[in-house]
Amino acid sequence: MTGRKEDMPSSVSGKDMSMFDRFAEAASNFASKAWFFALCVLLILVWAPSIVFIGTVDTWQLIINTATTIVTFLMVALLQNSQTRANEAVQHKLNAIADGLADLMEAQSQGGDQLTQDMVELRDAVGLEHREGTR
């Protein structure tokens, strides 16, 4: 295979990620658990009867609106980071598979013009993905 070892999907590890990427990954894992949803429901259940202590409906609504807006804003940023890294990892794996297939086709072609042409087209497609990547 023509891909370098450091470019292979299996070589990607947590130590290569920035501190923000590691935080975003941890937050994504945290938010994807059922107990996180239960915690959100508990927040609503605690907030709902708090109108008795707060007094005005406007303040009562402002509290939950502000809290949910802040959490939503931060979670969108963190989850987008996780999704982008996941998409890049999938694309990297697809490129490695295509590169391996091109190598196999090259080894099998041995004078077969159609297989050689297919191999060249596959390698060009893999190269195109590198040029048009999201990095």
Side-chain angles (χ1 to χ4, degrees):
M1 203 157 139
T2 60
R4 296 172 303 165
K5 178 64 178 162
E6 61 270 9
D7 289 340
M8 300 313 317
S10 59
S11 68
V12 176
S13 67
K15 66 181 178 180
D16 296 335
M17 295 190 316
S18 70
M19 190 163 83
F20 177 74
D21 288 342
R22 287 191 303 273
F23 175 74
E25 185 71 22
S28 177
N29 290 337
F30 176 77
S32 66
K33 305 292 183 207
W35 61 268
F36 179 75
F37 178 77
L39 184 66
C40 292
V41 170
L42 179 65
L43 175 67
I44 300 300
L45 292 176
V46 168
W47 165 80
S50 69
I51 191 164
V52 174
F53 305 107
I54 294 174
T56 65
V57 172
D58 290 341
T59 303
W60 179 68
Q61 288 178 332
L62 183 62
I63 290 171
I64 196 66
N65 289 343
T66 302
T68 57
T69 300
I70 290 169
V71 169
T72 301
F73 178 71
L74 294 174
M75 290 303 292
V76 164
L78 293 174
L79 294 175
Q80 182 61 44
N81 175 277
S82 294
Q83 181 181 4
T84 299
R85 284 184 294 104
N87 288 342
E88 288 175 357
V90 167
Q91 186 59 57
H92 192 72
K93 289 175 184 178
L94 288 172
N95 287 348
I97 290 168
D99 190 37
L101 182 57
D103 288 345
L104 179 63
M105 291 168 69
E106 181 177 19
Q108 295 296 317
S109 67
Q110 299 178 1
D113 290 335
Q114 181 60 40
L115 194 54
T116 302
Q117 178 61 30
D118 291 341
M119 182 228 10
V120 169
E121 289 175 6
L122 181 59
R123 285 198 186 275
D124 288 345
V126 170
L128 179 66
E129 193 60 49
H130 288 294
R131 288 191 301 271
E132 294 181 359
T134 59
R135 294 180 200 246

